[in-house]
Amino acid sequence: SHHATGYEMLTQQVILDYCNEDGGNIDGDLRVVSYIHNKGSLHSADFQSRVRRRLTGSALSPQCIEQLHIDSQESCNVCGANFKSVWGPTLWGNMWSAKCSYVKKLVSPFDLEALNREAVDSKPAEMTMNLFGDKHDANEAALGVGRFAAEQFVSTHPSLIPCSFIHPAPAGVDAFWAVDPPGPFDSHVITGLIPNLDEMNVESNYLKEWYFLPGVLWRYHVLYNELPPLDSWIWRHYPDGERWKGAIEEMGFPEALYHRIATETS
């Protein structure tokens, strides 16, 4: 069919439909899909062209495609450049390749903005949003509303296992990595959105900040009614992840969230 105006969610829905053509069977689905677009072409500049080439080259790289063809539930299932974990897992720039077995678990991109808004509206009253303060543009991007819902589409499921590239790669560190994001947690924030970096080391934020693990878990709960598996990289990467995992194993979710906010914050 013909659309007078194209936009990202149309293409993402086609990818989702393709991955679900076999009726949604996940086991044994070894197909890999790729999503690339003309990022920055409306504002022609050498910088935009360089970024577009890097994002495209990463998503279609031999490293990504090789990893995604590994038939294992422990190997990465989404790959591309510029992985970030703060405000929540995302491939900033939104070009990627992914296993169909993962993609078919995702909610429709057309439903995502409404679900993101539902997650924000239903979050516990004690949960804060301090990282970006009152910066409207940053919060729109971080909350996944408007066109930014498409930016978050592929990274919203709790079974996400990423692989990506460090750019530029510091001396002695491999440019490509899989499963566990390298380096400290605060190196994975999107600094271009000017976050309040002092908030990164406030321990109480690990219990109630929307843009850290409490908010990530709440979004998983609202969008999918699922949490990451117990062996997920999520628990190793996010501050206080092991304590969150232990509390959830003991109490369930969201009971563990309410309990920790009530008993461990002043």
Side-chain angles (χ1 to χ4, degrees):
S1 63
H2 172 75
H3 296 276
T5 302
Y7 53 100
E8 292 190 273
M9 293 171 189
L10 285 171
T11 307
Q12 291 174 342
Q13 184 64 50
V14 170
I15 291 174
L16 182 59
D17 291 343
Y18 167 77
C19 286
N20 278 306
E21 280 181 350
D22 63 351
N25 175 46
I26 292 175
D27 295 333
D29 191 340
L30 303 181
R31 293 173 298 166
V32 171
V33 291
S34 298
Y35 177 72
I36 60 175
H37 56 91
N38 58 342
K39 179 177 177 61
S41 61
L42 292 178
H43 308 284
S44 181
D46 183 59
F47 167 74
Q48 294 282 15
S49 297
R50 292 198 307 271
V51 170
R52 185 168 60 251
R53 286 194 294 268
R54 179 167 64 87
L55 295 177
T56 303
S58 297
L60 302 178
S61 67
Q63 295 98 319
C64 277
I65 303 306
E66 180 181 342
Q67 280 285 325
L68 294 170
H69 276 105
I70 297 175
D71 185 12
S72 169
Q73 294 186 356
E74 298 177 357
S75 64
C76 81
N77 48 32
V78 178
C79 187
N82 223 9
F83 177 84
K84 302 294 183 182
S85 54
V86 190
W87 57 74
T90 191
L91 289 164
W92 189 234
N94 197 24
M95 297 196 204
W96 41 266
S97 293
K99 294 180 177 180
C100 260
S101 57
Y102 169 82
V103 170
K104 62 182 58 177
K105 300 176 185 179
L106 300 171
V107 298
S108 168
F110 291 108
D111 295 334
L112 187 53
E113 179 179 0
L115 288 167
N116 282 337
R117 290 186 183 277
E118 179 184 341
V120 173
D121 292 344
S122 63
K123 66 179 177 59
E126 299 85 355
M127 195 171 279
T128 59
M129 290 181 165
N130 293 331
L131 185 62
F132 294 106
D134 59 359
K135 301 179 182 70
H136 175 74
D137 290 344
N139 279 302
E140 276 215 338
L143 296 177
V145 299
R147 70 177 183 85
F148 295 105
E151 292 274 348
Q152 296 188 8
F153 166 67
V154 80
S155 55
T156 58
H157 198 275
S159 66
L160 171 73
I161 304 175
C163 41
S164 189
F165 295 81
I166 301 171
H167 182 83
V173 178
D174 291 338
F176 181 78
W177 58 266
V179 182
D180 284 280
F185 174 69
D186 60 10
S187 69
H188 295 277
V189 66
I190 299 172
T191 54
L193 296 179
I194 316 177
N196 301 321
L197 292 177
D198 290 344
E199 298 290 335
M200 299 293 292
N201 298 311
V202 177
E203 289 194 10
S204 62
N205 284 339
Y206 305 157
L207 291 168
K208 60 182 182 178
E209 173 64 22
W210 176 260
Y211 296 116
F212 296 167
L213 190 53
V216 173
L217 296 174
W218 186 262
R219 291 197 295 277
Y220 288 151
H221 173 66
V222 173
L223 268 64
Y224 296 102
N225 196 28
E226 292 182 39
L227 294 182
L230 295 178
D231 60 352
S232 172
W233 63 276
I234 289 276
W235 311 112
R236 300 187 294 271
H237 176 68
Y238 281 89
D240 218 26
E242 291 296 331
R243 289 192 67 191
W244 275 113
K245 182 172 72 170
I248 291 166
E249 283 188 278
E250 179 181 348
M251 303 177 206
F253 194 89
E255 290 79 9
L257 177 64
Y258 294 129
H259 176 80
R260 292 200 69 194
I261 288 177
T263 62
E264 299 182 41
T265 61
S266 55

